[in-house]
Structure formats: C-alpha cells, structure tokens
Amino acid sequence: MDKVDFKKTLKHLYNPPKKDFVVVEVPKMQFLMLDGKGDPASYAYQEALETLYPVAYALKFTSKRTMGRDYTVPPLEGLWWAEDMDIFTTSDSKDEWLWTMMIMVPDWIGPELVEKIRGEVGQAKDLPAIEHLRFTGYDEGLSVQILHIGSYAEEAPTIHRLHHEFLPQEGLVENGKHHEIYLSDPRRVPPEKLKTVLRQPVRRM
C-alpha cells in the first residue's frame, strides 16, 4: 500500500525558499479546525492541540484500514490575526491574539466519517474541546510565502518585510489571515532550527 506524504506531493506549498518570498496558488483544502484566543502557551491552545491530533490520527488509521488509503498526517497549521494586526510586530503582548489551529484532511475523507470518528474519539478520551471541533474547507488562493528557520519569536522582522516591502513592491495587498505551517516539532527540535512556513493570502491591487 502506497503512503501519501503531502509535504512531498505538494512540495511547492510545504517547502518554499528561505531567502526569498514566492507567490503560489493554494488550492481549496479541507481541515479539522479549532478556534481560540491568547498566548500559545495558554491552556486553551494546548487543549486545541490535544484534541486535533487524536482525531487526525484516528482518521488516518481508519482510512488505511477501511479504504486502503494510507497517508502521513499533515503538519499542524495556524491562522493568526488580531483586531490590530500591528501587535504582531510592535508588541510583546499575546493576550489579544486570535487563532485557528488546524490539520489538513485528504479530499477522499468526507464529513460523515469525520463526524463518526469525532464521536468515537470523544467517547474514548476526555477532550473538552471536541465539541468545538469543526471540519470545513478553506480556500486561500493567491498567496505569498517563505520558509522561516528559527524560533517563533524571531518571525516578526520577516513578517514586517513581507507586509511593508514585498507586497507594496509587487502591487499586492493582504486578502486573508496570516498563516503558519509548523514543519518541526518544538518538543524535539531546538528553537534555532525550527522550520515554519509563513504564508499570507493576497490579491492584486
């Protein structure tokens, strides 16, 4: 049985260059999602991750067992925004951060199976956030992205350069939420070696 690795089949989306911004067309995908607010070190954020991963892996194993289609669970992703977007580059306060954490689900898996697995995981594990888990499509379309290597706290200069230099020079404006794809596990990889895709949906002026 072949095992699909979306980081390879969609390499242009998961492996951008680390020096230059690139413009990509992101197709519509479907995700498990959980929304929250505040510091990534908060209980709500950890609870979201502790809910997303069990459901994502249960879907993967069910797909392999019942459909004969195996795949590597895609990396964790996050949408980040705030009422005042400047706080991401000008303030150390994270209390006003809004986020949606999410994991992509292959297109051969439908809502009926997701709902079934969510119910089974909810019965087997004590996951308070399971009631708020949603399964929906997300269509970013035209986007700009770059690979950031280093700690999450060091992203600000690159984000500032994207919004205040690259986008104006290319005649582009923001058209959606700041998007991050976490290619490294911070529990196993030192901060200076973390790999994160930074993506911004855009439209042409």
Side-chain angles (χ1 to χ4, degrees):
M1 181 188 303
D2 292 334
K3 186 175 184 178
V4 178
D5 185 343
F6 294 101
K7 288 191 293 185
K8 295 180 180 178
T9 59
L10 298 173
K11 187 176 180 180
H12 66 296
L13 300 180
Y14 289 105
N15 189 32
K18 60 183 179 180
K19 292 184 178 181
D20 301 311
F21 295 107
V22 292
V23 179
V24 295
E25 188 71 31
V26 183
K28 184 176 182 179
M29 300 181 185
Q30 55 184 12
F31 291 86
L32 300 171
M33 294 184 173
L34 271 168
D35 304 315
K37 179 180 181 180
D39 195 314
S42 68
Y43 177 74
Y45 182 88
Q46 298 303 318
E47 190 177 73
L49 270 55
E50 291 170 1
T51 301
L52 284 168
Y53 279 111
V55 176
Y57 275 94
L59 284 171
K60 168 233 175 15
F61 293 131
T62 301
S63 174
K64 180 180 180 179
R65 184 179 68 254
T66 66
M67 300 179 181
R69 303 188 73 170
D70 193 13
Y71 63 95
T72 301
V73 172
L76 178 71
E77 307 188 29
L79 305 177
W80 298 88
W81 73 102
E83 296 300 327
D84 178 7
M85 287 300 292
D86 286 340
I87 69 170
F88 287 105
T89 55
T90 62
S91 172
D92 292 330
S93 175
K94 302 174 183 177
D95 294 340
E96 299 305 312
W97 288 11
L98 299 168
W99 44 261
T100 297
M101 304 313 298
M102 55 197 203
I103 296 177
M104 193 264 278
V105 176
D107 59 9
W108 63 79
I109 292 177
E112 296 83 5
L113 179 58
V114 173
E115 191 60 29
K116 176 177 180 292
I117 294 301
R118 181 170 75 160
E120 293 176 354
V121 172
Q123 288 183 345
K125 298 177 180 289
D126 182 19
L127 301 173
I130 197 80
E131 295 182 3
H132 305 291
L133 182 72
R134 55 195 174 93
F135 176 60
T136 187
Y138 188 61
D139 190 359
E140 284 182 297
L142 190 68
S143 300
V144 175
Q145 61 182 33
I146 194 170
L147 179 65
H148 171 75
I149 299 179
S151 71
Y152 305 133
E154 296 173 344
E155 293 176 1
T158 301
I159 296 173
H160 184 274
R161 184 161 58 93
L162 167 65
H163 289 273
H164 296 279
E165 295 180 21
F166 183 82
L167 296 188
Q169 290 171 1
E170 298 297 319
L172 300 169
V173 294
E174 297 90 342
N175 191 38
K177 297 169 182 174
H178 173 73
H179 188 166
E180 299 189 356
I181 304 174
Y182 306 103
L183 303 179
S184 305
D185 185 342
R187 298 171 301 177
R188 298 182 174 89
V189 179
E192 66 273 13
K193 294 185 178 180
L194 291 172
K195 294 183 178 181
T196 307
V197 177
L198 305 181
R199 179 185 295 164
Q200 175 60 55
V202 296
R203 60 179 174 81
R204 301 195 183 279
M205 289 192 292

